[in-house]
């Protein structure tokens, strides 16, 4: 089982390296080996050996910061230096790599355990607490009180791997500085199409509610929302459906393209409000070289059947496979 997990994590790391680093780094990725701790302790040849059998702690400990690429990287769940011909790179209190006499490296933190736990939502799966919607809230995370929720642990581990690969191959003099091998930044444009018509039931009801909401605090009603109710009743596409066409035209002017995430499936206050017919209509105005993705509906959370129903419905009105998606709520 750990072998399958390691293969999965290795694929994710390769995708990341290929996306953000030059080929000097990508072509060295084959030097990364996931294996058991006992095997990593006696490396047969020079490479980077990452143990996949060390138990991961969901409650992070041994948290420390190191400098890398003119910024700070945070590591946690330190692992012990192997016995034998190994030495610690960097300060002993803040180790990053353990180096073998043959030049091999082993991470000084539980790289595999930490990353696989994050990518597989181990915190959510192993925590019984949930909010009013049955969801895992950030405050339930063991990382919350230690201010680790905003640490991009996967990205930071990947950049340390990239630096180590280059250093081993003598392409850089310091594994803490590999900025010259980072690709230029790429801007990715995307749009969530939650509501395509401004006159749908739930949108109008919420506006009506907001008209009288100030009365709770003994203030005058908010009559602006009355104007919006009337305006979108008469011109339902304005500021919604028409915005899709407007964004497409703007992006064409500057030579850009983007992804439009469509929310379909179950109708309701928290779910789809426009319906599949509206989506069928709007996709006709989206050029074929733009991507259309699935915006997972509120009720598809941990529900494979409803997820598949939404996917099948969206796919039925598109001319190419849906391969991109992101969550609603």
């Amino acid at each position: 089982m750990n072998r399958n997990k390691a293969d999965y994590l290795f694929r994710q790391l390769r995708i990341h390296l290929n996306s953000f680093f030059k080929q000097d780094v990508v072509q060295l990725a084959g030097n990364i080996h996931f294996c058991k701790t006992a095997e990593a302790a006696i490396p047969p040849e020079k490479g980077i050996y990452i143990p996949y059998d060390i138990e991961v702690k969901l409650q992070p400990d041994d948290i420390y910061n190191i400098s890398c690429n003119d910024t700070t990287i945070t590591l946690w769940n330190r692992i012990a230096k192997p016995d034998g011909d190994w030495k610690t790179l960097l300060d002993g209190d803040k180790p990053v790599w353990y180096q073998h006499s043959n030049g091999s490296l082993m991470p000084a933190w539980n790289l595999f355990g930490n990353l696989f736990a994050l990518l597989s939502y181990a915190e959510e799966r192993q925590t019984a607490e949930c909010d009013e919607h049955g969801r895992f809230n950030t405050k339930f995370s063991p990382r919350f009180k230690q201010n680790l929720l905003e640490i991009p642990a996967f990205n930071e581990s990947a950049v340390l791997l990239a630096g180590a690969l280059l250093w081993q191959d003598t392409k850089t003099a310091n594994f803490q500085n590999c900025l010259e091998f980072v690709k230029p930044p790429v801007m990715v444009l995307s749009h969530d199409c939650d509501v395509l018509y401004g006159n749908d039931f739930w949108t109008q009801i919420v506006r009506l509610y907001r008209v009288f909401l100030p009365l709770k605090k003994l203030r005058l009603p908010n009559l602006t929302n009355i104007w919006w109710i009337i305006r979108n009743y008469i011109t339902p596409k304005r500021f919604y459906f028409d915005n899709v066409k407007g964004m497409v035209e703007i992006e064409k002017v500057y030579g850009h393209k983007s992804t439009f995430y469509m929310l379909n499936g179950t109708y309701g206050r928290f779910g789809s409000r426009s319906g599949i017919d509206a989506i069928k209509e709007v996709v006709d105005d989206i050029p074929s070289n733009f991507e259309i993705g699935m915006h997972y509906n509120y009720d598809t959370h941990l529900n494979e059947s409803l997820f598949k129903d939404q996917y099948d419905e969206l796919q039925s009105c598109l001319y190419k496979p849906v391969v991109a998606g992101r969550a609603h709520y």
Side-chain angles (χ1 to χ4, degrees):
M1 179 60 74
N2 276 347
R3 182 72 259 171
N4 292 336
K5 293 178 180 178
D7 290 343
Y8 160 76
L9 182 57
F10 183 53
R11 288 197 303 272
Q12 306 314 307
L13 286 168
R14 283 190 67 102
I15 291 170
H16 184 95
L17 293 176
N18 189 60
S19 298
F20 298 103
F21 291 89
K22 297 176 181 177
Q23 282 302 306
D24 304 69
V25 175
V26 178
Q27 65 187 9
L28 297 173
N31 294 331
I32 300 173
H33 308 283
F34 288 90
C35 56
K36 295 181 179 179
T37 304
E39 297 170 349
I42 47 173
E45 58 184 3
K46 186 177 179 180
I48 296 179
Y49 293 85
I50 303 174
Y52 59 54
D53 58 350
I54 300 176
E55 182 180 359
V56 64
K57 303 172 184 177
L58 291 185
Q59 184 66 56
D61 64 7
D62 261 333
I63 303 167
Y64 55 100
N65 299 317
I66 60 128
S67 297
C68 183
N69 291 318
D70 299 329
T71 187
T72 299
I73 284 181
T74 304
L75 303 174
W76 62 84
N77 291 344
R78 185 186 323 198
I79 62 177
K81 180 168 67 70
D83 295 329
D85 197 7
W86 289 85
K87 67 178 181 180
T88 301
L89 295 184
L90 289 192
D91 189 327
D93 292 331
K94 296 182 178 182
V96 180
W97 298 104
Y98 298 129
Q99 185 183 27
H100 191 263
S101 58
N102 73 355
S104 292
L105 298 175
M106 180 191 297
W109 76 105
N110 194 349
L111 185 152
F112 172 81
N114 288 2
L115 297 192
F116 189 83
L118 291 172
L119 292 177
S120 61
Y121 298 95
E123 291 179 342
E124 182 172 351
R125 290 184 290 105
Q126 297 180 31
T127 302
E129 293 181 279
C130 57
D131 64 14
E132 60 182 314
H133 301 287
R135 309 295 166 100
F136 179 76
N137 194 296
T138 54
K139 67 182 179 182
F140 304 143
S141 168
R143 291 171 293 139
F144 175 71
K145 292 182 180 179
Q146 293 166 302
N147 297 317
L148 295 176
L149 286 180
E150 295 184 6
I151 300 299
F154 185 94
N155 295 13
E156 294 189 349
S157 294
V159 78
L160 287 174
L161 277 172
L165 288 168
L166 291 163
W167 182 66
Q168 276 191 332
D169 203 56
T170 67
K171 284 185 169 60
T172 181
N174 186 346
F175 69 80
Q176 293 171 273
N177 188 356
C178 57
L179 286 176
E180 63 179 296
F181 298 95
V182 177
K183 289 181 179 178
V186 175
M187 181 173 67
V188 180
L189 301 173
S190 63
H191 317 281
D192 289 350
C193 297
D194 295 6
V195 183
L196 291 174
Y197 293 113
N199 66 341
D200 77 274
F201 174 79
W202 285 108
T203 300
Q204 298 287 53
I205 284 294
V206 169
R207 286 170 175 163
L208 185 62
Y209 170 74
R210 288 175 179 170
V211 171
F212 301 103
L213 186 60
L215 294 177
K216 287 186 175 182
K217 297 182 179 181
L218 302 178
R219 296 176 182 171
L220 293 174
N222 184 353
L223 300 180
T224 302
N225 281 289
I226 293 291
W227 167 240
W228 279 105
I229 290 172
I230 297 171
R231 195 175 195 181
N232 269 151
Y233 177 79
I234 298 172
T235 56
K237 291 185 178 181
R238 194 173 184 188
F239 309 113
Y240 294 90
F241 190 105
D242 291 343
N243 277 11
V244 173
K245 295 190 289 186
M247 287 184 286
V248 167
E249 292 306 315
I250 291 174
E251 289 165 17
K252 282 181 178 179
V253 170
Y254 293 98
H256 296 310
K257 60 181 181 179
S258 62
T259 301
F260 286 87
Y261 292 96
M262 300 295 172
L263 178 60
N264 63 301
T266 306
Y267 186 80
R269 176 186 174 192
F270 298 114
S272 173
R273 297 189 183 182
S274 303
I276 195 65
D277 289 336
I279 291 174
K280 289 178 181 178
E281 185 179 358
V282 79
V283 296
D284 289 338
D285 294 312
I286 299 176
S288 60
N289 64 328
F290 283 50
E291 188 166 28
I292 296 175
M294 173 174 154
H295 199 192
Y296 316 145
N297 207 322
Y298 180 82
D299 59 359
T300 60
H301 177 64
L302 301 181
N303 191 317
E304 185 176 346
S305 177
L306 288 176
F307 186 96
K308 186 177 184 303
D309 288 345
Q310 183 188 347
Y311 173 86
D312 289 343
E313 182 184 57
L314 180 61
Q315 185 64 76
S316 69
C317 69
L318 300 179
Y319 47 84
K320 58 183 177 181
V322 179
V323 296
R326 70 172 172 220
H328 187 56
Y329 290 89

